[in-house]
Amino acid sequence: MKKLLVMAIAMIATLAASAQAYTGGAIGFMRNTSANKTTFTIAPELGFNLSDTWAIGGVVDFSYLKTKEGHSTMFEIDPYARYTFYKADNSKLKLFIDGGVDLGFGSSKLKGESSGTAVSFGIGLKPGVSYALSDNFSLVAHLGFLGYKGGNGKYKQLHDEVFGFDFSTMNLSFGFYYNF
């Protein structure tokens, strides 16, 4: 048993030593005047490249939503596995897909009501593209979503429950990575 434990620790240490870490994230602000809806998001990200094609990581997402009906504040943890399916000859351009789950907690309040606990959850795929500006800096973009996102009753008061796919420019995010 002791030998098995030592071997498992050695394998994990070898994997961690060969993994290249990256950090970055995204920030967003959107104002929809016709719906009187404002959204603000900060989403730092940390990940590890396990190989040329696989990476694991996670996003910690803080978002604030204000509508004419009320407001919501959410904190989400979004772990993912990334599969890179295309790499250009110069290795600067990469196409990938993130598969992950989302779990969030926060508060939601409609006007004239008391605030309550909002819980969000989801599972899905997000295609993306990465372009290396240098050995250490990359620009990253995600376009679209395929999956499910919903939550409890308080969450659904102000947020949409979605199922299916959306590859519109309304579901476009930009970010950056610093590679260690």
Side-chain angles (χ1 to χ4, degrees):
M1 181 69 173
K2 193 175 182 181
K3 289 180 183 180
L4 183 62
L5 181 62
V6 169
M7 189 169 75
I9 291 171
M11 286 174 38
I12 291 170
T14 302
L15 183 63
S18 66
Q20 182 184 11
Y22 58 88
T23 187
I27 187 168
F29 176 81
M30 188 163 143
R31 173 79 176 135
N32 183 334
T33 55
S34 62
N36 196 16
K37 183 177 179 180
T38 304
T39 307
F40 176 71
T41 303
I42 298 174
E45 183 174 346
L46 178 65
F48 298 94
N49 291 313
L50 302 176
S51 68
D52 284 344
T53 55
W54 285 101
I56 57 171
V59 177
V60 177
D61 188 312
F62 171 79
S63 63
Y64 177 77
L65 168 70
K66 184 175 182 180
T67 69
K68 58 186 173 189
E69 291 88 22
H71 61 87
S72 167
T73 304
M74 295 297 295
F75 176 79
E76 286 188 4
I77 298 172
D78 308 333
Y80 63 83
R82 174 172 293 167
Y83 177 69
T84 302
F85 58 88
Y86 175 77
K87 192 185 262 190
D89 291 335
N90 60 8
S91 296
K92 289 185 177 213
L93 180 70
K94 297 177 186 178
L95 301 178
F96 60 85
I97 190 156
D98 289 349
V101 296
D102 307 335
L103 179 60
F105 299 95
S107 66
S108 184
K109 181 179 190 260
L110 291 178
K111 288 186 177 177
E113 292 185 16
S114 61
S115 66
T117 301
V119 178
S120 68
F121 45 86
I123 185 167
L125 301 171
K126 293 180 185 177
V129 61
S130 171
Y131 185 78
L133 298 173
S134 69
D135 288 341
N136 295 98
F137 290 100
S138 299
L139 293 177
V140 180
H142 287 88
L143 174 64
F145 175 75
L146 170 64
Y148 171 79
K149 177 96 174 176
N152 69 353
K154 279 291 187 182
Y155 178 82
K156 291 178 187 177
Q157 287 178 338
L158 295 172
H159 299 269
D160 295 329
E161 181 176 34
V162 294
F163 177 74
F165 65 93
D166 177 12
F167 294 109
S168 69
T169 56
M170 292 298 291
N171 202 351
L172 175 65
S173 68
F174 290 100
F176 73 93
Y177 287 164
Y178 177 77
N179 299 298
F180 293 85

